[in-house]
Amino acid sequence: MKFGVVVFPGSNCDQDCLDVLRDVLGQPAVPLWHQETSLKGCDAVVLPGGFSYGDYLRTGAIARFSPIMRSVARLAKDGGLVLGVCNGFQILLEAGLLPGAMLRNTGLRFICRFVTLRVERADTPFTNRFQPGQVIRLPIAHNEGRYTADAKTLKAIRDHVVFRYCDEDGRVTDAANPNGSAGALAGLTNERGNVLGMMPHPERASDSALGSSDGRLVFESMLEAMVHA
Amino acid sequence: MPSAALATPSVAVLKRVARSHNLTDETYRRIVKTLGRAPTLTEVGMFGVSWSEHCAYSSSKPYLQQFPTRGPRILVPAGKENAGVVDIGGGWAVVFKCESHNHPSAVEPVQGAATGVGGIIRDIFTMGARPIALLDSLRFGPLGEPRSRFLLEGVVKGIADYGNAVGVPTVGGEITFDAAYRDNPLVNVMCIGLVPVRRIARAAAGGVGNPVLYVGSSTGRDGLGGASFASRELAEGRDADRPAVQIGDPFTEKCLIEATLEALATGDVIGIQDMGAAGLACSTSETAARGGVGIEIDVARVPRRAEGMTPYEVMLSESQERMLLIVKRGREERVKRLFAKWGLAAVEIGRVTRDGLMRVRDGPAVAAEIPASALTDEAPVYHRPVRRPAWLSRAQRLPLARVPLPKDYARVLTTLLGSPTIADKSPVFEQYDHMVQTNTVVLPGRADAAVLRLRSGRRPERSRGAAVLRLRGLGRWLAATTDGNGRACFLDPYEGGKLAVAEAARNLVCVGARPLAVTDCLNFGSPQDPAVMWQFKACVRGIAEACRAFKTPVTGGNVSFYNEGPRGAVDPTPVIGMIGLIESGMGPMTANFKDEGDAVILLGETREELGGSEYLAVIHRRKAGRPPRVDLAGELALQQLMLTLAAQGLLKSAHDCSEGGLAVALAEGCLMEPSRLIGATVSLQPPAGARRPIRTDALLFGESAGRIVISCARYHVERIEHLAARHKVAMAVAGRVGGVHLCIDSWIDAPVDELSEAWRSGLRQALGVRR
């Protein structure tokens, strides 16, 4: 299976994602420059973390106008897998591929650390290698990760929340919610389940040398889903 | 000759401008003599910034020559290029450097710190290296004062905003608090990069007729005179200095990194230099002088963001995120296209000439014409008066009889653990992205030094269309640390200088890394004060001796003078940035105790040394005495023992003993890993018959150098004893890991979770950060 990783000016996790896809997952993976329109035959696309266009206007607000995003939207519409991590999640929201928006963390500070997450759905193309309810460790690194949406949307997405921030025992509590995200939401799919946005960085936890390899299962799930599609 | 129309301000005006650049009348006369005529306004400005203390090291040069600069691994020695280059084997080299941004940070902490980060990163990637890590060494006044909190929060935000966006992890550093820094904080940033040896880029112009390209952001009036500004004490009315602080744009810098590394990979670039302090003036003349050629540029072609700028302003502007490239003739369009892909302007502003002159045109007129080497090599060197400060002898007196022994040692330990200098720094480093690039194998705060795994580094895709070869891993790790001890240097600058180097090396061997090389930031008061120059001289001698003893050459760095406020100078504070390599397959060691039953061992000797300790400062509110003496041969033996123990995989943990002494080092061993708190029971009581009993507070909290707390499986104790004896390092099996209390003789019995709480909440509370 061939993966594409979109490179916007200001992306800074693109190479980390390519490393994991190639070296850990052993799959072909290519960078996709934001001004191109071809997905180069990729079966799945990752929108990586970073500060696309400096995030000067609003996180992800400019990146969504990049030519490559039209092709990404088409891939999503055709049922291909699209994973947005951190800034990639913010871009998916701005592009309307996922509902809702991101606000600044309640502490008004950038937060970089490992958090624990509860896997809410283990039946998506991104989580089929997890157990439902499993507690996993992934790092977060963001300034704007407080998910928000209107009441109607929050109700509509209830079944599409894939990861929630939780404590080590899997309890969703205020104390375990690092950024004030609505419903402790850390990861969300679209209705069809083929587009996932998540604030935590699975590519930073795909190698036990880095303190956790739980993130690898996200990529392995994608591979599994595509091979058996 | 410069055009008549531009060369006519009166001598009085020129001298006034010269004085505004801190050039004395005597120096002005020297300029006239060098040129053989009166200078133009632009020329005065160019001399002013090039000959400023900041750029020319006028007062420090005579002393810096003592530093050892060569060694088998040093590929580019200090001063030759933008940063030192160290061979790490396998065809790879590490480029690293430390630089201060103290003055801008005192005026505008967010932008001051941010542009400090941006500047040092540019020094690294202009050598062709991908920046892989940042460390910050920060010093502020007491956190109880609102201005200190304002400065700390601003500096941390500046580092975070810039470093996080630019995608270089901030993996370590240090933060200390002392009243000496309340007016003038210290913000020193170190950057490390990785480059294939054959791809090291040079900062020298070459090839007569080759085009000179200006790349990156446009030029504005921001930061005008920054280099001269940094060479002056901060005046009372700080706000008046605000225009001299530059504004950083990490997004442009990120694009600049990628575009520059791609451009260097093409082989079309002859020379490259970042426009840092003194902007175009320094970057053009330095590249010309290094290449033994001249450069002619036309300021009319320089992209600008402000209207009506004079050649003087264009040459001296310190607008950020700009580079100067000398490229092969005929390849300029290809290079320009590459930068355009990243949304960056690349404009041809001039060419390399044969005549060795730095010629600045403004359209048809000539605004400056100076021998390039005059700007770079002929700067005045000042042999400033040196005098031992009169107050020093009194400060060094510490009659211990008048220091009362505490009644409750556990309470002292808890207080020290919660003091901001010792307390957990995670409220700060969690604001930094310390994981991007996925090489950070030891998280900040878990070991004595930052550790990165070394991989092949990243190559630009599509370089020359060749297949991209990726080495999976280099099987080694890079460790880095920054260390300094202003209080020790205040009390004895020579011992303090040695101590900073010794502690840096000790931190590296505690993760199992062999110390390789040093970069330093020397932060001092005004060089016009003979007492400050005496401190400087003694400090440099101490650093040089230690670096020579440890075979860790100094590869570069910077000197920051004029760190003063209305209340006087900062403590003399050399900050040592040191890198090391872990080459054994065992990987890095961390500082926390691991398993029940493991032996706790003390390496090194504890003497009755309380002078300059954190204990005296925090508990007794005294800054007095002589700092711990450093025995360089003993330190070296300790380093070698540690590397042997690490290579044989005998250790479970290692932690250097510094601020707060043995008690704090033992407590940190118990609590550093938040998910695995564990107790320990130890005895520090010297064996019966020891020469002279040491005061209990000195035993617990004294900061004697050359000590490390290690832990190991019990069955390794004998082997370690044997090796310690062979290396002639004093060793004592002090106790064992286990339980939920830290017990030290009959003096301390404290639950580890309480100690942990004190340590974790110290800085968090002071800053109001919610977990």
Side-chain angles (χ1 to χ4, degrees), chain A residues 7 9-13 15-16 19 22-23 31 33 35 40 51-54 56 106 109-114 139 141 143 174-175 177-178 203-204 207 209-210, chain B residues 153 161 164-167 249-251 254-255 341-342 429-441 443 453 455 458 461-462 470 472 767-771:
Chain A
V7 183
S11 292
N12 64 27
C13 303
Q15 193 65 47
D16 298 346
D19 284 350
R22 290 169 181 165
D23 296 349
W33 184 240
Q35 278 176 340
K40 295 182 179 169
F51 290 69
S52 54
Y53 296 92
Y56 285 141
T106 42
R109 286 181 169 91
F110 189 95
I111 309 171
C112 176
R113 64 175 155 95
F114 270 96
N143 228 329
D174 281 350
N177 184 340
E203 82 281 8
R204 295 185 182 187
D207 182 340
L210 299 173
Chain B
E153 298 212 16
D161 286 354
N164 296 353
V166 85
D249 172 6
F251 171 62
K254 170 66 176 163
C255 294
K341 176 188 141 191
W342 287 96
F429 66 67
E430 283 182 358
Q431 296 182 54
Y432 305 146
D433 189 339
H434 46 267
M435 302 182 194
V436 66
Q437 297 193 19
T438 56
N439 292 319
T440 315
V441 294
L443 297 180
R453 59 177 174 180
R455 294 184 292 167
R458 281 89 189 267
E461 301 287 331
R462 291 186 301 274
R470 289 185 52 80
R472 283 291 303 270
L767 288 177
V769 180
R770 192 180 73 104
R771 174 70 210 191

Side-chain angles (χ1 to χ4, degrees), chain B residues 132-136 169-174 190 192 429 434 439-454 476-483 503-504 506-514 578-582 587-591 672:
Chain B
I132 57 168
L134 291 164
L135 292 89
D136 313 290
T170 299
V171 298
E174 43 166 359
M190 169 167 156
I192 304 173
F429 66 67
H434 46 267
N439 292 319
T440 315
V441 294
V442 176
L443 297 180
R446 304 289 166 84
D448 285 27
V451 184
L452 301 165
R453 59 177 174 180
L454 287 172
R476 55 197 97 163
W477 293 261
L478 183 75
T481 182
T482 65
D483 285 287
E503 188 176 341
R506 233 182 289 133
N507 283 336
L508 292 183
V509 298
C510 280
V511 298
R514 178 181 301 283
M578 196 183 278
I579 57 162
L581 207 54
I582 304 174
M589 291 187 295
T590 50
M672 255 174 144

Side-chain angles (χ1 to χ4, degrees), chain B residues 122 125 215-217 251-261 320-323 339 342 344:
Chain B
R122 284 195 295 285
F125 72 79
V215 172
S217 293
F251 171 62
T252 299
E253 177 109 337
K254 170 66 176 163
C255 294
L256 207 48
I257 295 176
E258 301 304 332
T260 302
L261 292 180
Q320 298 285 294
E321 292 89 25
R322 302 178 302 160
M323 313 279 279
F339 281 94
W342 287 96
L344 297 167

Side-chain angles (χ1 to χ4, degrees), chain A residues 70-205:
Chain A
R70 281 196 296 273
S71 311
V72 172
R74 202 169 318 117
L75 178 75
K77 192 162 163 261
D78 294 344
L81 298 187
V82 177
L83 168 65
V85 175
C86 200
N87 193 229
F89 187 4
Q90 293 159 346
I91 294 167
L92 289 174
L93 295 172
E94 289 288 338
L97 290 171
L98 291 171
M102 284 296 174
L103 298 173
R104 282 199 72 187
N105 301 341
T106 42
L108 301 180
R109 286 181 169 91
F110 189 95
I111 309 171
C112 176
R113 64 175 155 95
F114 270 96
V115 295
T116 39
L117 302 165
R118 192 170 73 196
V119 180
E120 303 290 78
R121 296 273 307 262
D123 57 349
T124 76
F126 303 93
T127 53
N128 55 53
R129 303 268 283 123
F130 294 103
Q131 299 299 316
Q134 186 180 343
V135 176
I136 63 171
R137 280 180 81 237
L138 296 180
I140 54 169
H142 59 250
N143 228 329
E144 283 97 359
R146 174 154 60 114
Y147 181 80
T148 187
D150 58 43
K152 199 171 133 219
T153 307
L154 286 176
K155 203 169 155 198
I157 63 164
R158 231 173 8 197
D159 292 337
H160 309 304
V161 179
V162 173
F163 301 112
R164 282 187 214 277
Y165 301 108
C166 68
D167 65 15
E168 280 165 20
D169 304 316
R171 285 179 306 233
V172 173
T173 64
D174 281 350
N177 184 340
N179 51 28
S181 184
L185 181 149
L188 172 70
T189 65
N190 58 353
E191 216 174 309
R192 191 170 168 183
N194 65 321
V195 177
L196 169 67
M198 61 190 294
M199 289 313 292
H201 287 265
E203 82 281 8
R204 295 185 182 187

